[in-house]
Amino acid sequence: MFWTVTQSLLTGLATTFEIFILTLIFALPLGLVLAFGLLSKFKPLQRLVQILVWIIRGTPLMLQLIIIFYGPGLWLHTTVWSGNESGRITATVVAFVINYACYFSVIFRGGIEGVPAGQREAGQVLGMTKHQIFFKITLLQMIKRIVPPMSNEIITLVKDTSLAFVLGMAEMFSVAKALAASNVSMIPYAIAALIYWVFCLFIEFILGRVEKKLAYYHD
C-alpha cells in the first residue's frame, strides 16, 4: 500500500511543482514592477499599487482563487477559463502570481530602501547613469537583503499549493485526500506531509546556498 500511495502522490506532486515553478517565474518580476510602483513619485500610481497590495494581502488566497476562477463567468457572463485541467491550472497560476507578486513587492521595496542613499550618490558622483546605479549598486545589495524574507515566502508557497484543491486541481493534497477517503486511512496524509517536508527542505537548502554566495556583499 505504501508504494502504491506514494506513486499516486508523486503524480500529484508534478502538478504541485508546476504551480510552484510557474508562480515563481511570473511573480518575481511582477513583484519587482509593483515595488517600483510603491516607490513611484507619481502619487496616483503609488496609491493605486498600494490599494492593490493592501487588498490582496488582506484577503485569503483561497478566496482569491475562487473569485478569479468563477468571478469572470458570473460578472461577464462569458467563459474565461476552460473547465478542463489546463484552464484550471491557468486560473490557479494567475491567482498565485497576483497574490505572491504583492507579497514580493513589499519585500523588494524594503530591500531597495535598505540600500544606503550614500552609495547611490557615490555612483552619481562617478558619472554613472540611473540604470547603471540600479543594476550595479542597488540591485546586488537588494538581493542580499531580501533572500531571508523571500525564502520564507517561497517555502510558504510550497505549502500554499495545496489550496489549489478548491478548484478541483489534482495536486498532491487533492490526491492524498482522495486516497485517504477510498482507503479509510490517514497514511496518504502522512506520506504527503513527508513529501511536502522534503520539498521544503530542498528549497531551503537551495536558498541557503544562494545566501552564502551573496555573503561577500558587505554593508
Side-chain angles (χ1 to χ4, degrees), residues 39 50 68-69 195 200:
L39 294 168
Q50 285 176 340
I68 287 175
F69 185 71
I195 295 174
C200 290

Side-chain angles (χ1 to χ4, degrees), residues 44-142:
L45 174 61
Q46 184 188 71
R47 293 286 182 251
L48 182 63
V49 176
Q50 285 176 340
I51 291 172
L52 172 64
V53 172
W54 176 68
I55 292 173
I56 296 299
R57 295 181 71 201
T59 54
L61 176 54
M62 183 181 291
L63 180 60
Q64 294 165 20
L65 281 163
I66 293 172
I67 290 174
I68 287 175
F69 185 71
Y70 295 106
L74 293 173
W75 302 325
L76 305 176
H77 303 290
T78 183
T79 302
V80 176
W81 320 106
S82 61
N84 57 23
E85 187 77 5
S86 177
R88 291 178 184 276
I89 198 168
T90 301
T92 299
V93 170
V94 168
F96 271 77
V97 167
I98 294 173
N99 181 279
Y100 273 85
C102 288
Y103 280 93
F104 289 161
S105 68
V106 177
I107 296 173
F108 281 131
R109 182 186 63 182
I112 293 172
E113 291 179 334
V115 178
Q119 296 191 19
R120 293 191 291 269
E121 293 169 357
Q124 292 174 343
V125 171
L126 293 173
M128 298 173 69
T129 64
K130 290 184 177 180
H131 183 272
Q132 290 174 324
I133 291 172
F134 178 76
F135 283 98
K136 293 185 177 181
I137 298 177
T138 306
L139 182 62
L140 294 176
Q141 296 191 57
M142 177 198 73

Side-chain angles (χ1 to χ4, degrees), residues 20 24 28 104 143-144 146-158 199-215:
F20 173 78
L24 283 185
L28 287 170
F104 289 161
I143 292 174
K144 175 194 171 183
I146 67 173
V147 168
M150 193 68 76
S151 299
N152 292 334
E153 290 298 329
I154 292 174
I155 291 172
T156 300
L157 171 60
V158 174
F199 193 175
C200 290
L201 196 65
F202 175 73
I203 297 299
E204 189 174 353
F205 172 77
I206 295 297
L207 293 172
R209 298 286 295 178
V210 171
E211 191 171 356
K212 287 183 179 179
K213 288 287 185 182
L214 296 171

